[in-house]
Amino acid sequence: MVVITDVRPYRRTKLFEISSEAGVEFLASDKFIAENGLQRFAEFDDESFELIRAKAQLIDGIRKSIEILSRKDYSRKELYRKLCDKNIPEDAAQAAVQYVAEKGYQDDFRYAKRLAEIAANSYGRRRVEQILYNHGIERETIREVIDETFSDARTEQENLDELLVRTARGKDLNDPKEKNRIYAKLTRLGYGSAMISAAISRYEEGKDETL
């Protein structure tokens, strides 16, 4: 048996803390309180109260999800972790993330596409893939986003050519050590070895033509 021992306003919000003898159980709106008979000294059997608590936690998770996403976009995994950090139980957090995704508040593909488009201005395909993975995007979604973002291979080559010009400025690529350092840097930025070699060849040919 669970007995409601206190119903009090929660900080400067429209929510209320619902407490039992075990302590604070969950937050609820006045509408939720009225619908579920959560007045002080109300009694519930354990099963009924658990259903009420789970529903309240889900509503709280949805509310917090929308608040979080109104400030900044996140992947499903990132949003889930943030909800757990805000003391939303794991089951409620998962259900809340599912709800906001179904309602269009959150979309992994949309989020990943925006990240990839920004990152592609500075990094190659491999590095962009790693960035998306680090943000909790699923592998299948990453492949779809990468294929779409880098569908124009010429764009990636142009980005690399521009980056190489900036990186190699004032450096002697006839020095093997210098060339290796530049090659290693471009590799870390996610460009493939064949693409880097081709870019260096174009760069060297371009310099020769200006001499």
Side-chain angles (χ1 to χ4, degrees), residues 31-100:
K31 180 181 178 182
F32 188 88
I33 290 171
E35 289 176 345
N36 292 276
L38 294 169
Q39 66 271 17
R40 194 177 181 191
F41 302 129
E43 297 181 353
F44 300 87
D45 61 73
D46 291 344
E47 183 177 354
S48 297
F49 188 75
E50 182 56 37
L51 291 174
I52 293 172
R53 177 166 49 197
K55 184 177 179 181
Q57 290 170 340
L58 172 57
I59 292 173
D60 194 27
I62 293 171
R63 178 182 60 81
K64 287 179 178 177
S65 294
I66 294 174
E67 287 179 356
I68 291 168
L69 294 171
S70 69
R71 295 190 293 269
K72 183 182 176 182
D73 211 1
Y74 292 97
S75 70
R76 292 179 67 135
K77 289 185 178 179
E78 288 174 326
L79 179 58
Y80 169 78
R81 288 195 291 266
K82 284 189 169 294
L83 290 176
C84 291
D85 289 343
K86 291 180 177 293
N87 299 318
I88 300 296
E90 292 182 1
D91 288 348
Q94 289 176 347
V97 171
Q98 180 67 27
Y99 177 88
V100 296

Side-chain angles (χ1 to χ4, degrees), residues 157 160-161 164 192-203 205:
Q157 291 175 358
L160 176 55
D161 287 342
L164 178 58
S193 57
M195 184 171 284
I196 295 172
S197 296
I200 291 176
S201 295
R202 287 193 298 274
Y203 176 79
E205 289 172 3

Side-chain angles (χ1 to χ4, degrees), residues 14 21 33 79 83 115 123 125 129 165 185 198 209:
K14 295 181 179 180
E21 293 177 347
I33 290 171
L79 179 58
L83 290 176
L115 286 177
Y123 303 115
R125 177 183 295 255
E129 287 178 347
V165 169
K185 178 179 179 179
E209 290 176 0

